[in-house]
């Protein structure tokens, strides 16, 4: 996904400050969330452009939300010559740290739900997705309870 696609999918018509999102943010989210869930062979197949329907329906929206969750805290603060500063303004009040954390958590849950749907679809039809191997899917090898990996 491009940065523009992420912005359109995750933020819609919202205007983001210049430089708040980068290609590195997108790549990082791909490597952190999609690659471990898909496994090496399936991740490679998706990057090559195979399974475009799966990518468009489930993977790209999930990726966009993972990126959104990652950048939400940086939307309320900036690093510059004055150090770390928080946005304020004449007509807006900055959200509390707790509110941003809660919103980020909800966005990550939504992204995980979309990724889980893609994983279920791939697991249910191995003939269509032969590169998907549940043994390589990190979610099939771990349990998570209350954000703790067991």
């Amino acid at each position: 996904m491009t940065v523009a696609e992420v912005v359109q999918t995750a933020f819609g018509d919202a205007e983001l400050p210049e430089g708040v999102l980068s290609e590195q943010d997108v790549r990082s989210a791909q490597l952190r969330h999609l690659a471990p869930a898909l496994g090496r062979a399936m991740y490679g197949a998706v990057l090559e452009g195979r399974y475009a329907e799966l990518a468009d329906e489930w993977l790209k929206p999930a990726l966009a939300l993972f990126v959104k969750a990652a950048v939400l805290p940086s939307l309320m603060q900036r690093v510059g010559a004055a150090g770390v500063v928080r946005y304020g303004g004449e007509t807006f009040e900055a959200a509390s740290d707790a509110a941003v954390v809660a919103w980020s958590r909800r966005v990550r849950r939504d992204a995980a739900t979309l990724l889980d749907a893609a994983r279920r679809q791939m697991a249910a039809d191995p003939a269509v997705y032969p590169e998907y191997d549940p043994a390589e899917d990190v979610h099939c090898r771990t349990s998570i309870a209350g954000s703790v990996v067991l």
Side-chain angles (χ1 to χ4, degrees):
M1 273 185 103
T2 66
V3 170
E5 289 174 313
V6 169
V7 170
Q8 180 59 42
T9 303
F11 293 95
D13 294 334
E15 290 190 34
L16 299 180
E18 180 79 26
V20 76
L21 258 175
S22 69
E23 292 291 332
Q24 181 178 340
D25 294 318
V26 178
R27 278 192 308 272
S28 177
Q30 283 178 325
L31 294 172
R32 183 176 300 120
H33 300 287
L34 295 187
L38 298 178
R40 188 178 4 252
M42 186 65 182
Y43 181 66
V46 170
L47 288 180
E48 290 171 3
R50 299 194 311 251
Y51 310 115
E53 188 176 312
L54 177 79
D56 290 342
E57 185 175 353
W58 301 110
L59 300 178
K60 285 183 177 183
L63 177 61
L65 290 177
F66 281 126
V67 173
K68 180 178 184 175
V71 301
L72 279 175
S74 64
L75 290 173
M76 65 185 283
Q77 51 197 10
R78 284 284 193 231
V79 177
V84 179
V85 295
R86 180 180 292 260
Y87 279 121
E90 294 179 23
T91 58
F92 296 101
E93 183 178 322
S96 70
D97 290 341
V100 172
V101 167
W103 190 18
S104 251
R105 191 174 295 132
R106 195 205 99 210
V107 171
R108 273 192 310 275
R109 269 195 321 266
D110 291 347
T113 299
L114 293 171
L115 185 54
D116 286 344
R119 292 172 45 248
R120 283 192 303 275
Q121 182 174 329
M122 291 182 297
D125 204 344
V128 174
Y129 306 104
E131 294 89 350
Y132 178 69
D133 180 1
E136 285 193 34
D137 182 344
V138 70
H139 296 98
C140 294
R141 298 187 316 250
T142 59
S143 297
I144 299 174
S147 298
V148 176
V149 178
L150 305 172

